[in-house]
Amino acid sequence: MGTVAVGIGVAAIVIGIIVKMVKDKKQGKSIQCGCNCKDCGGHCH
């Protein structure tokens, strides 16, 4: 039972991280561009 609980917790964390990354990307932020993709001129991609 403990293994299932830990698995669900890890899955929730991973899903939360992915959702945040997608949300940030839609707002023009990205890790690769220093969180300022809208001003990088496209050379970061």
Side-chain angles (χ1 to χ4, degrees):
M1 191 64 161
T3 303
V4 173
V6 170
I8 291 172
V10 170
I13 291 170
V14 170
I15 290 170
I17 291 169
I18 292 170
V19 168
K20 181 172 180 357
M21 289 172 64
V22 169
K23 192 175 180 183
D24 286 348
K25 186 69 175 177
K26 285 182 180 180
Q27 292 177 350
K29 299 177 184 176
S30 175
I31 294 172
Q32 292 121 354
C33 291
C35 296
N36 198 11
C37 271
K38 64 184 175 204
D39 295 328
C40 82
H43 66 274
C44 298
H45 303 278

